Amino acid sequence: ALVGERPLADDQLCRALAAQAKRARVHPVFFGSAVTGVGVDVLADGIAELLPAVRGDAGGPLAGTIFKVERGPAGERIAFVRLFSGTIRVRDRVRERTVTAIEVFDRGSTVRRSAATGGDIAKVWGLGDVRIGDAVGAARGRGGHHFAPPTLETVVVARPEQRGPLHVALTQLAEQDPLIGLRQDERRQELHLSLYGEVQKEVIGATLASEFGLDVEFRATTPSASSGRRGRVRRSSAWVGADRPSTRSWPVSGCGSSPRRPGPGPRSATRSSWARCRPAS
């Protein structure tokens, strides 16, 4: 492979790409289809080769991040924790609450265990009123989410007898997704929902119907009061995991093809812009 004017062995380039991807300085891009399965094998290989697993320190200080929150059958909160170091055991006191149960992800499913250690991703019961981005033990990284706030909003309307359940349902959805903003207009008795666009509105409507049995309507989407400018929606971009966007291009031969612009037809859909790290034939 040739990077600039310096020749590199294929394995050197693969290791360098994996190291840069781990530090979020480069971002491999794959094309494919989850519906048809095209490109899924290349994506799986790319995850294994370009995003090497991080080994945690089970004996270190407790440090983890809550990246997802969902509700159990009884309405209890279940925290999804990425544990960087330390150990969490059932009946431990974490965030001033007692851990009541732990399941650890293993080969695509979860296994009930008495403890989770550094390097594990676990579902933890008993942590109370947690939200996405909360730290478990010592804080690690920036935490939270790194997206610009939504600049649109809509009013959610339900039948009078469903207004109470609607508020409860939207509150739970906002707990599970920090990008959903909910506020109540006490004067008008209206529920305002912050949005990024029409697709998100459709997803929320479908979720309210399927998971909560609520048939709601949405009023027209308008610029939100918190966007700073009425009548104008500001364009913004967010970069996840990187201090600044990289402007470098990475033409490679032994560790993938040059990034391709997706074109029409099935051929372009089956090509990955970062193929598997294998020597070019």
Side-chain angles (χ1 to χ4, degrees), residues 153 167 181-185 190-194 224-226 230:
E153 72 175 14
H167 187 274
L182 176 66
R183 69 180 180 89
Q184 183 166 356
D185 187 327
E190 294 177 340
L191 288 173
H192 292 251
L193 202 62
S194 299
S224 66
S226 60
R230 280 289 185 182

Side-chain angles (χ1 to χ4, degrees), residues 169-243:
L170 289 175
T171 300
Q172 291 186 13
L173 291 179
E175 291 172 353
Q176 297 170 17
D177 186 349
L179 301 181
I180 295 177
L182 176 66
R183 69 180 180 89
Q184 183 166 356
D185 187 327
E186 297 291 350
R187 184 172 64 86
R188 297 182 178 181
Q189 293 297 301
E190 294 177 340
L191 288 173
H192 292 251
L193 202 62
S194 299
L195 298 169
Y196 285 94
E198 295 299 311
V199 173
Q200 188 182 20
K201 187 194 307 187
E202 295 175 6
V203 171
I204 292 173
T207 302
L208 290 172
S210 62
E211 296 187 10
F212 299 94
L214 298 174
D215 183 16
V216 302
E217 294 181 357
F218 296 92
R219 292 183 184 167
T221 302
T222 60
S224 66
S226 60
S227 64
R229 298 181 184 178
R230 280 289 185 182
R232 179 180 178 185
V233 178
R234 296 172 295 168
R235 295 183 62 187
S236 60
S237 60
W239 295 89
V240 181
D243 295 332

Side-chain angles (χ1 to χ4, degrees), residues 71-130:
R71 295 271 179 168
E76 74 279 14
R77 279 189 179 90
I78 305 171
F80 287 63
V81 180
R82 170 71 166 90
L83 202 57
F84 300 103
S85 68
T87 300
I88 298 178
R89 298 179 177 85
V90 176
R91 294 188 293 277
D92 278 356
R93 294 285 290 179
V94 177
R95 297 180 59 88
E96 300 182 356
R97 296 295 186 99
T98 300
V99 175
T100 57
I102 294 173
E103 290 184 2
V104 175
F105 283 87
D106 184 19
R107 301 182 185 276
S109 60
T110 58
V111 180
R112 184 62 63 99
R113 292 184 182 171
S114 61
T117 59
D120 285 339
I121 295 177
K123 297 169 66 174
V124 182
W125 281 257
L127 297 187
D129 298 337
V130 292

